[in-house]
């Protein structure tokens, strides 16, 4: 597997339950005060792992087959032995990357990280200067992150930018793209703000409503094409899209469509004090499978109920608007983080492009309403419900987590989950299940329209080649 695809999952990774990509919070210490921070980072966690304990974790991950470890915080470089951890990861043959707020990620630190073996560094930009600084809680934060991008270019360290989409920055993305182009950024990952930690406290200010996704994605596809024309690839986070008309455009790498939550299936999240979760963003209380201070990481990975839930999920646990959806068997309510933090359980995710479009056809839309605040702890959650309304604003349905208990997978139903294969219908740009011959959306003969599309693409390719030859003469 080449270096460009090392973190991409293949079907064998699902079969073997290999933790391909690990995100590791090596400290909760942070020098920013982000209003959307799910972990409420700031101070060091009590009982953070020692250097030797971190080395043991790396050895365990190597034995499990991990191919990439991303270190995060808080702010990773605020931990004194962060360079030793990078060096150990690198020496173990695992690719090491880092995500940073970039505040005071200066030249000395960047130079040292490269020497230690860092592969790439992603930085966070959450809007144009005023918006970014407001969200990040530092009036000069934007200045720091742009300087950091310039330093990464100087030291030839591949860089990327991550942006959390909020109500504050959703209309600034085109101008922000201009900034990224100017600074030589080639990869831009985006994700929707999620109601966890600080974001629960600021949910009305930050979090888009589900019905707003339709207009947002129409604007985003224009920005995507502008980005591509300028050699910038927009990469969709795990709560972007879901089977709307642009799904085949958002997804990159080996996976051309969303294949369901990978928490505890092909991914691991590690908290600084040694707690192990299937995904770094999941709530600590409900999804911690164990602590490496008490158990071997391999045993936590293989046997902990909190870790293996994603490996055996099925559509029986779905509820609300996700139950009965055409894509229920492959999507399984999308990102567990996004759904669980709203309702205290997974199985229903209103932040779905396909769902919003289907509701619009019926003259309906959804919005979320907060009914309980978060207690103020790291990775904590509040409680929301879904309000389904018609075009007049009349309430048609309330999807409440209180009325729909989570249905666990029975021991007798524990069949390893391998995402059901889909294929694209070029007649309507919707995905359909691989065994279908007639499109469930446009009723086209799938083979026929796909063959016609392939012929048109081949013709266009030949025309382009002829044009290029003429231009060279």
């Amino acid at each position: 597997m080449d270096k460009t695809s090392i973190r991409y999952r293949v079907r064998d990774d699902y079969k073997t339950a290999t933790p391909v990509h690990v995100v590791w919070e090596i400290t909760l210490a942070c020098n920013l005060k982000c209003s959307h921070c799910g972990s409420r980072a700031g101070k060091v966690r009590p009982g953070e792992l020692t250097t030797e304990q971190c080395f043991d974790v790396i050895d365990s991950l190597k034995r499990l087959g991990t191919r990439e470890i991303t270190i995060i915080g808080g702010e990773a470089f605020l931990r004194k032995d962060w360079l030793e951890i990078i060096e150990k990861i690198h020496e173990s043959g695992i690719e090491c990357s880092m995500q940073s707020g970039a505040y005071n990620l200066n030249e000395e630190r960047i130079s040292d990280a490269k020497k230690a073996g860092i592969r790439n560094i992603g930085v966070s930009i959450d809007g144009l200067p005023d918006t970014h600084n407001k969200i990040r809680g530092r009036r000069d934060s934007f200045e720091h992150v742009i300087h950091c991008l310039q330093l990464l270019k100087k030291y030839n360290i591949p860089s990327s930018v991550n942006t959390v989409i909020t109500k504050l920055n959703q209309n600034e993305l085109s101008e922000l793209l201009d900034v990224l182009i100017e600074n030589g950024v080639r990869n831009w990952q985006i994700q929707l703000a999620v109601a966890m930690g600080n974001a629960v406290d600021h949910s009305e200010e930050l979090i888009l409503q589900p019905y707003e996704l339709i207009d947002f994605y129409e604007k985003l596809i224009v920005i995507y094409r502008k980005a591509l024309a300028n050699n910038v690839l927009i990469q969709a986070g795990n709560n972007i899209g879901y089977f709307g008309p642009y799904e085949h455009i958002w997804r990159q790498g080996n996976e051309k469509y969303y294949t369901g939550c990978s928490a505890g299936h092909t991914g691991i999240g590690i908290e600084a004090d040694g707690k192990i979760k299937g995904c770094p963003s999941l709530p600590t209380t409900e999804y911690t499978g164990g602590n490496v201070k008490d158990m071997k990481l391999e045993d936590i990975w293989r046997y902990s109920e909190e870790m293996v839930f994603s490996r055996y999920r099925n559509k029986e646990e779905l509820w609300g608007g996700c139950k009965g959806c055409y894509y229920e068997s492959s999507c399984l309510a999308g990102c567990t983080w996004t759904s669980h933090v709203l309702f205290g359980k997974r199985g229903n995710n209103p932040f779905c492009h396909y769902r919003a479009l289907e509701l619009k056809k019926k003259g309906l839309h959804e919005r979320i309403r907060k009914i309980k605040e978060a207690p103020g702890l790291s990775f904590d959650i509040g409680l929301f419900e879904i309000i389904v309304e018609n075009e007049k604003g009349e309430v048609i349905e309330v999807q409440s987590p209180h009325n729909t208990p989570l249905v666990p997978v029975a021991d007798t139903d524990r069949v390893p989950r391998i995402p059901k294969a889909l294929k694209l219908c070029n007649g309507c740009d919707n995905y359909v299940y691989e065994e279908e011959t007639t499109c469930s959306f446009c009723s086209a003969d799938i083979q026929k329209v796909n063959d016609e599309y392939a012929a048109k693409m081949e013709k266009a390719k030949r025309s382009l080649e002829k044009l290029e030859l003429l231009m060279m003469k």
Side-chain angles (χ1 to χ4, degrees), residues 286-287 309 313-319 333 336 339-340 343-348 400-409:
E286 295 90 340
Y287 288 96
F309 78 91
R313 293 179 72 186
N314 60 48
K315 64 183 182 180
E316 298 307 315
E317 73 173 32
L318 303 185
W319 59 280
T336 300
S339 58
H340 190 110
F343 312 118
K345 62 182 178 183
R346 56 188 179 267
N348 188 12
S400 170
H402 297 301
N403 301 331
T404 48
L406 179 65
V407 179
V409 178

Side-chain angles (χ1 to χ4, degrees), residues 129-312:
D130 289 347
T131 301
H132 175 87
N133 293 339
K134 178 181 179 180
I135 291 174
R136 294 275 157 179
R138 292 274 193 175
R139 62 187 179 187
D140 56 348
S141 176
F142 190 88
E143 176 186 332
H144 277 248
V145 77
I146 296 300
H147 181 56
C148 178
L149 284 173
Q150 295 167 350
L151 289 172
L152 292 173
K153 188 175 182 180
K154 175 181 177 180
Y155 282 89
N156 198 29
I157 297 174
S159 63
S160 61
V161 166
N162 303 286
T163 299
V164 177
I165 306 301
T166 65
K167 287 184 176 180
L168 298 178
N169 65 23
Q170 63 170 317
N171 295 318
E172 298 181 352
L173 298 184
S174 184
E175 293 175 87
L176 179 56
L177 173 59
D178 293 336
V179 175
L180 304 189
I181 294 168
E182 182 181 343
N183 285 276
V185 173
R186 292 290 174 261
N187 291 281
W188 185 16
Q189 179 168 307
I190 60 172
Q191 68 177 44
L192 299 175
V194 170
M196 171 178 269
N198 291 343
V200 183
D201 306 339
H202 301 279
S203 59
E204 291 188 11
E205 172 188 358
L206 296 177
I207 297 176
L208 293 173
Q209 286 290 351
Y211 68 85
E212 295 176 308
L213 293 178
I214 296 175
D215 289 341
F216 172 69
Y217 286 136
E218 290 302 319
K219 295 174 185 176
L220 183 61
I221 194 61
V222 175
I223 296 169
Y224 180 97
R225 288 166 176 149
K226 174 184 172 181
L228 211 57
N230 288 275
N231 297 316
V232 179
L233 178 63
I234 294 181
Q235 296 171 301
N238 285 333
N239 62 11
I240 292 289
Y242 304 144
F243 302 107
Y246 309 127
E247 179 72 6
H248 65 294
I249 299 177
W250 303 141
R251 306 294 164 196
Q252 301 299 324
N254 292 354
E255 297 164 349
K256 297 299 184 183
Y257 50 85
Y258 186 73
T259 54
C261 174
S262 63
H265 200 170
T266 60
I268 292 180
I270 305 175
E271 293 187 5
D273 58 0
K275 293 188 183 74
I276 304 298
K277 303 185 292 187
C279 166
S281 302
L282 289 172
T284 302
T285 302
E286 295 90 340
Y287 288 96
T288 295
N291 193 307
V292 295
K293 294 175 183 176
D294 308 315
M295 298 174 63
K296 291 181 180 180
L297 178 52
E298 292 94 328
D299 289 339
I300 298 173
W301 174 253
R302 291 179 180 128
Y303 307 121
S304 169
E305 187 66 30
E306 292 83 359
M307 293 296 292
V308 305
F309 78 91
S310 180
R311 302 176 208 174
Y312 302 104

Side-chain angles (χ1 to χ4, degrees), residues 11-81:
R11 294 182 74 81
D12 281 349
D13 293 324
Y14 287 98
K15 293 176 182 177
T16 58
T18 298
V20 175
H21 184 215
V22 174
V23 180
W24 186 356
E25 171 207 280
I26 61 173
T27 182
L28 198 58
C30 193
N31 53 14
L32 293 172
K33 303 173 183 177
C34 302
S35 58
H36 56 45
C37 181
S39 64
R40 301 186 188 267
K43 297 180 180 179
V44 173
R45 277 190 194 278
E48 292 191 349
L49 296 177
T50 65
T51 304
E52 287 305 313
Q53 287 171 330
C54 288
F55 286 179
D56 289 341
V57 167
I58 296 166
D59 289 338
S60 292
L61 291 173
K62 182 179 181 180
R63 289 191 292 268
L64 285 170
T66 294
R67 300 198 286 268
E68 180 178 3
I69 298 174
T70 300
I71 59 170
I72 63 169
E75 184 56 77
F77 65 74
L78 294 181
R79 181 175 168 126
K80 292 181 179 179
D81 59 358

